[in-house]
């Protein structure tokens, strides 16, 4: 079942979907995910479908470094999964084959090779579903290795992630950032601290568009 919602994306729209996550995932990964996802539809049809984790675990010590939007999430944490029916092109113009992939949180390193990639350092990295079968935390190095393998190149498949500080009332939605020519998906996520109540945040994920220097 799909429920269309408001969208502003110049021929792109977003839908909320109520269906189980893809069968290609391991039972452990599927169990960790919500049974409600989001679908992005573009001029050529369905671009992607995303299911987030029921509640993304957070760490007790938040990373408060400059440029980090979600420092409460540890690098290597499973955030969700994505399905690309017809393939896709990531934030660094890497070509992603059709299929199902996990999404794990990572930060851009602070070095000269990554300056100006995005205003924030937060990213989601893809890994092939068959290669990432456990929702448990992975090290940064393990996630990078899986993502390089998924893309088949020396660079991981990165998807720019930011915080939506003034999100619209109707979510999920997709917005067009004209200056960068980015289509940004805004949708709610649940964060689960080690202690205390679940906190709701709004994620802003670039699903169409590229880094300035790519």
């Amino acid at each position: 079942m799909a429920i269309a919602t408001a969208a502003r994306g110049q021929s792109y729209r977003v839908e909320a979907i109520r269906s189980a996550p893809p069968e290609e995932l391991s039972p452990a990964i599927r169990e960790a995910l919500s049974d409600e996802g989001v679908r992005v539809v573009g001029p050529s049809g369905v671009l992607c479908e995303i299911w987030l984790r029921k509640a993304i675990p957070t760490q007790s010590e938040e990373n408060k470094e400059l440029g980090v939007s979600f420092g409460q999430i540890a690098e290597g944490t499973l955030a969700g999964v994505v399905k690309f029916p017809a393939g896709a092109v990531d934030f660094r113009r890497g070509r992603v084959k059709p299929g199902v992939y996990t999404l794990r949180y990572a930060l851009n390193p602070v070095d000269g090779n990554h300056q100006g990639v995005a205003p924030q350092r937060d990213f989601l990295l893809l890994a092939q579903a068959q290669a990432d079968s456990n929702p448990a935390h992975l090290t940064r190095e393990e996630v990078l290795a899986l993502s390089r393998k998924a893309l088949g190149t020396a660079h991981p498949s990165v998807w720019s992630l930011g915080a939506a500080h003034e999100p619209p009332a109707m979510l999920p939605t997709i917005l067009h950032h004209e200056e960068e020519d980015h289509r940004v998906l805004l949708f709610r996520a649940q964060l689960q601290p080690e202690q205390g109540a679940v906190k709701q945040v709004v994620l802003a994920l670039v699903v169409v568009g590229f880094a300035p220097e790519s």
Side-chain angles (χ1 to χ4, degrees), residues 191-213:
L191 301 184
Q192 177 63 68
E194 293 179 358
Q195 296 181 344
V198 170
K199 178 183 178 182
Q200 188 175 92
V201 296
V202 177
L203 306 182
L205 181 68
V206 178
V207 292
V208 179
F210 312 113
E213 83 295 347

Side-chain angles (χ1 to χ4, degrees), residues 9 14 16 30 34 36 39 41 57 59 78-79 100 115 132 153 155 162 170 172 178:
V14 62
R30 294 182 85 237
S34 171
E36 295 186 4
R39 176 185 295 129
V41 182
Q59 56 190 352
L78 176 72
V100 178
Q115 295 296 326
D132 189 5
T153 69
H155 200 283
M170 293 292 294
E178 294 185 8

Side-chain angles (χ1 to χ4, degrees), residues 6-68:
R8 290 172 286 170
Q10 291 191 351
S11 74
Y12 286 83
R13 72 178 189 274
V14 62
E15 302 169 348
I17 54 176
R18 294 175 181 169
S19 62
E23 292 287 343
E24 293 92 332
L25 299 162
S26 72
I29 294 283
R30 294 182 85 237
E31 177 62 26
L33 302 174
S34 171
D35 59 2
E36 295 186 4
V38 291
R39 176 185 295 129
V40 178
V41 182
S44 301
V46 177
L47 173 68
C48 65
E49 295 177 331
I50 298 174
W51 287 262
L52 289 179
R53 200 165 178 165
K54 292 173 183 174
I56 301 170
T58 60
Q59 56 190 352
S60 56
E61 294 187 14
E62 183 175 350
N63 183 343
K64 297 183 179 181
E65 295 177 7
L66 183 65
V68 177

Side-chain angles (χ1 to χ4, degrees), residues 5-202:
T5 62
R8 290 172 286 170
Q10 291 191 351
S11 74
Y12 286 83
R13 72 178 189 274
V14 62
E15 302 169 348
I17 54 176
R18 294 175 181 169
S19 62
E23 292 287 343
E24 293 92 332
L25 299 162
S26 72
I29 294 283
R30 294 182 85 237
E31 177 62 26
L33 302 174
S34 171
D35 59 2
E36 295 186 4
V38 291
R39 176 185 295 129
V40 178
V41 182
S44 301
V46 177
L47 173 68
C48 65
E49 295 177 331
I50 298 174
W51 287 262
L52 289 179
R53 200 165 178 165
K54 292 173 183 174
I56 301 170
T58 60
Q59 56 190 352
S60 56
E61 294 187 14
E62 183 175 350
N63 183 343
K64 297 183 179 181
E65 295 177 7
L66 183 65
V68 177
S69 297
F70 295 103
Q72 65 271 54
I73 305 175
E75 289 193 84
T77 298
L78 176 72
V81 303
V82 60
K83 179 177 181 178
F84 295 111
V89 181
D90 68 20
F91 197 61
R92 304 243 348 195
R93 298 183 188 270
R95 296 200 171 273
V96 179
K97 294 179 180 179
V100 178
Y101 299 83
T102 59
L103 295 166
R104 289 187 181 265
Y105 178 78
L107 294 173
N108 235 350
V110 182
D111 60 33
N113 294 327
H114 296 83
Q115 295 296 326
V117 172
Q120 78 291 326
R121 293 173 53 199
D122 308 66
F123 285 85
L124 294 179
L125 272 57
L126 297 189
Q128 293 172 318
Q130 62 267 33
D132 189 5
S133 60
N134 193 324
H137 174 266
L138 297 178
T139 67
R140 173 184 173 83
E141 291 71 24
E142 288 171 330
V143 175
L144 289 172
L146 285 173
S147 194
R148 292 184 184 112
K149 182 179 179 182
L151 206 57
T153 69
H155 200 283
S157 182
V158 298
W159 296 77
S160 182
L161 178 69
H165 300 292
E166 296 182 2
M170 293 292 294
L171 291 174
T173 191
I174 188 164
L175 304 180
H176 184 209
H177 291 185
E178 294 185 8
E179 183 176 351
E180 304 93 346
D181 196 22
H182 290 167
R183 270 71 180 186
V184 183
L185 174 64
L186 272 61
F187 55 135
R188 293 184 178 90
Q190 307 287 337
L191 301 184
Q192 177 63 68
E194 293 179 358
Q195 296 181 344
V198 170
K199 178 183 178 182
Q200 188 175 92
V201 296
V202 177

